């Protein structure tokens, strides 16, 4: 059975939303949305490509989930509350089973965070998924990468490295029972740290989400803030599942350079950090992993108080052997 | 020379905007935008894929231009004033000459309409370009496809078919001097009818942009409005350039089913149409090509008052031999 573009949209993506601010949703030339006085609109757009951001034989549900998760993670890093999204789906064939799985993954986090799909485009082409999310922050209070100051304490949420370890488990078809399943899940189902971002919104001096690897992303935060960072490798949160399946050194590389964590990296003023964290009563585990320093906007990793070199840097889509001209 | 993602963004896409409502633009996890009380936000997203929406050897400038034009055309169809855009660029290689051309095309219409590029994503992958545009309409007055009533007069802007004829000129490497150059330009550089949409915003009963072919898109307007349409083929505006290079019958097929017009199709109440059009003092040529009818939401084409059959339907990305499962 052949599905036209309109059938696809009607069957899988046109849903009634409970949001009263969607004045006109999927199906016209554009969506019409109501805005909120005194709040600022926050928008992020992320694209995932088959074979680059997800494995070529990935489950459609996982692809749909990831397309939303990576975008919500950007809103989390701004301290924003998600509201709407648009979807561009380029796919080679209109396969009903695939579309059904994709849509269920797409709406999993969208429903949890009350994000309405308000529009987009469905085209024939290579498998490339782009989502744009929009959300709100209260006036004049959002998180950026650029506010860290020398002396600020550096924190990360969750356990960096578990996602990269999970990818290794999948790629090597590793056995390993519950630990393997746990790590795979960490890779396939990243949790955007929306609640944490909302809590940090007025107290963190800088924040960003960790998607390309902890050290690579920390360098970006340093560059944006114009200061350096000392990262204490010994302070990194340990993963029981990674300890079970990987050598300690490999685990460390995943934590520092693995990517796909979608955790929040953020800074707090040293003199208020303890009080802030105790007041916030965070549901999400956060760990102090270093301190911001003066001087060059670079990252120094320390292990046993000695400089420590990571084996590989994080992922930059264009700085690979294949790219460049 | 190898270009990383950050170099690409910094060099080609991070521009200062004159817009005061861009509170935080390209370079952080998300953009932060100021909204306007009493206005409604209008968002559209369109994707163009190499080999599907543009030819594989297209000029990078034309690709950049098209990515913005097709989106602005959607805003035009809503009567919206454009404000911001985000860009997802999936491309195989980071070629500086290509990127420079692409960016110049991208900013051509963006600058003309004061649209700020506020964020997006740049990834390695097949050549796929997605743009989301956002704009504004005054409260409670925007155009939709669904407001046409039986008896309303049906209009189209510009000269449908010239773009499809221009594509034929390119694909067949036709000679033909000025007429050929004119038609090619009509295909490569569609003009979004922003000003016309703004003028029609409070007076048209329905509107949409024509991208998949006049009859195919008119069918969508009929379906959304729940009425039929009679399209008078003899009333279609004639193109001097098409008459010079194509048989009359071929020209008619391009006009009815060619696609890529990016003109506005709209309806006006019969008793007020003449007065409305004379009051508006439109800069853009519009032509009455039919009338909306009661009954089934289908399109009847008439030529010399006789039913007329078009040879081929418009383009649906998934209803081709290749697609479907």
């Amino acid at each position: 059975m052949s599905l036209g573009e309109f059938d696809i949209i009607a069957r899988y993506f046109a849903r009634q939303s409970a949001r009263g601010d969607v004045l006109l949703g999927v199906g016209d030339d554009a969506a019409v949305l109501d805005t909120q006085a005194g709040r600022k609109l926050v928008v992020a757009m992320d694209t995932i490509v088959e074979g680059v951001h997800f494995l070529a034989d990935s489950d459609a549900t996982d692809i749909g989930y990831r397309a939303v998760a990576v975008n919500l993670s950007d809103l989390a890093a701004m301290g924003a509350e998600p509201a709407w999204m648009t979807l561009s789906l380029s796919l080679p064939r209109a396969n009903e089973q695939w579309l059904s799985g994709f849509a269920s993954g797409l709406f999993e986090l969208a429903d949890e965070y009350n994000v309405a799909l308000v529009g987009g485009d469905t085209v024939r082409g290579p498998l490339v998924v782009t989502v744009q999310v929009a959300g709100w922050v209260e006036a004049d209070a959002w998180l950026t990468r650029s506010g860290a100051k020398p002396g600020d304490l550096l924190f990360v949420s969750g356990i960096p490295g578990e996602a990269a370890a999970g990818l290794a488990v999948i790629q090597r078809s590793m056995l390993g029972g519950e630990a393997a399943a746990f790590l795979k899940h960490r890779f396939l189902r990243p949790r955007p740290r929306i609640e944490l971002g909302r809590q940090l919104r007025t107290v963190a001096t800088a924040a960003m989400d960790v998607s390309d690897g902890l050290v690579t992303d920390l360098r970006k935060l340093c560059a944006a803030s114009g200061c350096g960072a000392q990262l204490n490798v010994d302070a990194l949160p340990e993963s029981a599942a990674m300890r079970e399946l990987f050598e300690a050194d490999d685990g460390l590389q995943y934590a520092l350079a693995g990517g796909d964590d979608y955790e929040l990296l953020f800074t707090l003023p040293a003199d208020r950090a303890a009080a802030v964290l105790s007041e916030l009563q965070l549901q999400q585990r956060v760990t102090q992993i270093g301190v911001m320093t003066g001087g060059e906007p670079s990252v120094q990793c320390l292990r046993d108080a000695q400089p420590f070199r990571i084996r590989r840097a994080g992922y930059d889509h264009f700085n690979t052997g294949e790219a460049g001209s």
Side-chain angles (χ1 to χ4, degrees), chain A:
Chain A
M1 177 189 164
S2 178
L3 278 178
E5 186 178 351
F6 272 73
D7 299 319
I8 291 175
I9 292 166
R11 197 170 308 175
Y12 300 106
F13 300 119
R15 282 192 178 195
Q16 278 297 337
S17 165
R19 297 191 68 92
D21 55 12
V22 181
L23 305 176
L24 182 68
V26 169
D28 215 293
D29 289 289
V32 183
L33 306 166
D34 210 357
T35 62
Q36 299 184 33
R39 308 189 98 195
K40 307 301 181 191
L41 189 66
V42 181
V43 300
M45 180 190 250
D46 265 316
T47 294
I48 58 175
V49 177
E50 183 174 52
V52 179
H53 305 88
F54 55 90
L55 300 171
D57 55 354
S58 290
D59 184 79
T61 311
D62 293 334
I63 299 170
Y65 180 97
R66 176 167 294 268
V68 176
V70 300
N71 273 284
L72 290 183
S73 183
D74 283 325
L75 288 202
M78 306 300 287
E81 183 192 330
W84 315 303
M85 64 182 183
T86 48
L87 163 71
S88 157
L89 178 58
S90 166
L91 80 167
R93 272 169 306 279
N95 176 301
E96 294 189 60
Q97 193 186 345
W98 193 94
L99 281 163
S100 171
F102 177 84
S104 78
L106 186 85
F107 285 113
E108 194 173 317
L109 282 174
D111 288 347
E112 180 176 342
Y113 287 104
N114 193 22
V115 178
L117 178 67
V118 299
D121 200 4
T122 312
V123 301
R124 184 162 54 87
L127 186 50
V128 177
V129 187
T130 297
V131 168
Q132 150 133 357
V133 287
W136 296 103
V137 286
E138 292 72 6
D140 304 324
W142 57 85
L143 298 168
T144 68
R145 301 176 176 181
S146 58
K149 303 253 176 320
D152 284 356
L153 305 187
L154 178 69
F155 295 82
V156 73
S157 65
I159 304 183
E162 286 188 335
L167 174 60
V169 167
I170 294 168
Q171 288 184 310
R172 300 179 199 167
S173 304
M174 286 168 71
L175 302 175
E178 275 181 40
F182 173 83
L183 294 176
K184 279 199 272 191
H185 193 260
R186 289 275 290 147
F187 172 72
L188 294 173
R189 297 297 168 107
R191 295 286 312 168
R193 304 302 185 191
I194 295 287
E195 293 82 3
L196 179 62
R198 297 289 292 159
Q199 289 189 289
L200 294 172
R201 188 177 53 86
T202 54
V203 293
T205 47
M208 71 180 294
D209 76 323
V210 183
S211 55
D212 294 336
L214 186 58
V215 171
T216 293
D217 285 334
L218 178 53
R219 270 194 211 115
K220 294 175 194 167
L221 191 145
C222 287
S225 292
C227 54
Q230 229 169 46
L231 196 164
N232 180 9
V233 170
D234 304 306
L236 285 167
E238 282 199 40
S239 161
M242 281 169 74
R243 207 167 41 220
E244 200 180 315
L245 295 178
F246 294 90
E247 297 290 329
D249 273 4
D250 290 334
L252 202 52
Q253 296 298 326
Y254 289 137
L256 292 170
D260 286 316
D261 294 306
Y262 300 103
E263 297 293 349
L264 290 189
L265 187 64
F266 62 95
T267 55
L268 292 172
D271 58 350
R272 289 189 284 128
V276 159
L277 290 178
S278 95
E279 273 164 34
L280 290 181
Q281 299 190 295
L282 301 177
Q283 300 298 304
Q284 176 57 50
R285 170 186 186 154
V286 303
T287 309
Q288 195 209 324
I289 56 168
V291 62
M292 303 308 287
T293 59
E296 286 298 295
S298 62
V299 175
Q300 188 184 30
C301 294
L302 295 178
R303 191 180 192 182
D304 296 329
Q306 298 295 315
F308 175 78
R309 256 185 185 287
I310 59 168
R311 285 204 302 262
R312 55 179 189 139
Y315 190 65
D316 181 333
H317 302 301
F318 286 101
N319 262 331
T320 63
E322 221 172 296
S325 67

